Amino acid sequence: RSGNNGVYAPLFFLCNSLLRSNASKVFWTFRAENEGGMIVYQIGDYIVKSTDGVCKVEDILHLNMSGVDCKKEYYLLIPVGEKAEKIYVPVDTKTNIRKAMTEEEALKLIDKIPEIEEMWVDNEKMREQRYKEAVRSGDPESLISIIKMIYLRNQKRMAQGKKTMMVDERYFQKAEQSLYSELGFALGKNKDEVCRIIEESVKRKKK
């Protein structure tokens, strides 16, 4: 983050160049294989669990634990970069998990960024709720949308001589971390390299 003026360096170029698009918002959707109406992942798949980021499906197993249905199958998930951590998720879960973006999907999303409108909510309580929903969903387009919104709010507040709101800063950082970590994983790039790819894409769009 640059200084104390509320401008977040990694996404400054992105936000400054792409806000106020007139295009309608179309949410990015991801599909996993579906078997009998239930999403099925295989051992070795990389998935995104909204609260834990990109994880590898290390195993599919039954848990031999007190109080747990021994017939129920679970995914054993290992977060990328956190090999010591283990997460157990029921195979029939309805929580926010999906397959991680492929390189092709990541590049398509980056190319689509100018079309994604900022989310705008005037009501303070409703705004924080929308922040929570976007971060909890892990949906990349929703994350981009609230990043743009928070950037706009910060610019408006600075123009009025006001400080940025702590809730805006907190959710900006969460959204940025979630978005950049998945894009970085899909592209095999670090955060700075992902930022450069976005900047180059934006420049091409503006020509």
Side-chain angles (χ1 to χ4, degrees):
R1 198 164 68 237
S2 59
N4 297 316
N5 63 359
V7 176
Y8 300 82
L11 282 180
F12 172 76
F13 187 92
L14 164 66
C15 293
N16 198 40
S17 303
L18 301 181
L19 289 167
R20 298 303 186 188
S21 165
N22 290 322
S24 60
K25 183 175 182 181
V26 181
F27 280 94
W28 188 263
T29 57
F30 295 85
R31 300 290 182 186
E33 292 182 11
N34 193 292
E35 185 176 297
M38 183 177 67
I39 293 175
V40 177
Y41 303 104
Q42 305 299 324
I43 294 173
D45 284 349
Y46 286 91
I47 63 98
V48 173
K49 186 172 182 293
S50 59
T51 55
D52 299 282
V54 180
C55 301
K56 182 180 180 180
V57 179
E58 191 70 21
D59 202 355
I60 300 174
L61 41 72
H62 300 275
L63 295 179
N64 184 19
M65 296 171 60
S66 176
V68 175
D69 184 355
C70 64
K71 296 180 181 179
K72 195 179 186 72
E73 284 190 314
Y74 286 79
Y75 296 119
L76 168 57
L77 306 179
I78 307 296
V80 171
E82 299 287 343
K83 296 188 182 298
E85 185 176 353
K86 295 182 179 181
I87 302 168
Y88 296 96
V89 178
V91 168
D92 60 356
T93 184
K94 295 181 180 179
T95 57
N96 293 316
I97 64 171
R98 57 173 172 78
K99 277 193 173 180
M101 275 189 275
T102 63
E103 180 179 4
E104 181 181 2
E105 288 170 334
L107 291 172
K108 284 182 178 179
L109 176 66
I110 289 172
D111 190 58
K112 191 179 181 182
I113 285 174
E115 303 169 17
I116 301 173
E117 290 187 349
E118 69 277 10
M119 183 185 298
W120 196 262
V121 183
D122 290 319
N123 182 278
E124 293 287 341
K125 290 184 178 180
M126 285 296 297
R127 185 184 307 117
E128 183 173 3
Q129 182 60 31
R130 295 296 294 275
Y131 288 169
K132 287 180 181 178
E133 290 171 357
V135 170
R136 195 174 294 145
S137 75
D139 176 76
E141 289 200 16
S142 295
L143 296 174
I144 291 170
S145 183
I146 67 168
I147 286 170
K148 289 184 174 185
M149 174 185 176
I150 294 170
Y151 177 84
L152 271 180
R153 276 177 50 77
N154 287 344
Q155 293 300 297
K156 183 177 180 180
R157 291 183 66 85
M158 285 190 295
Q160 297 170 344
K162 298 178 181 178
K163 294 182 179 179
T164 58
M165 301 284 287
M166 289 184 64
V167 67
D168 287 342
E169 182 171 347
R170 183 168 70 252
Y171 281 102
F172 189 103
Q173 291 173 348
K174 287 182 177 183
E176 181 192 54
Q177 171 61 26
S178 181
L179 177 67
Y180 270 76
S181 62
E182 186 175 2
L183 287 174
F185 173 79
L187 299 172
K189 305 291 184 182
N190 62 37
K191 188 174 181 178
D192 290 339
E193 290 171 328
V194 171
C195 189
R196 283 196 292 273
I197 291 171
I198 292 175
E199 290 179 5
E200 289 167 2
S201 176
V202 170
K203 288 176 182 177
R204 288 196 301 271
K205 287 279 187 178
K206 292 180 71 176
K207 287 181 180 179

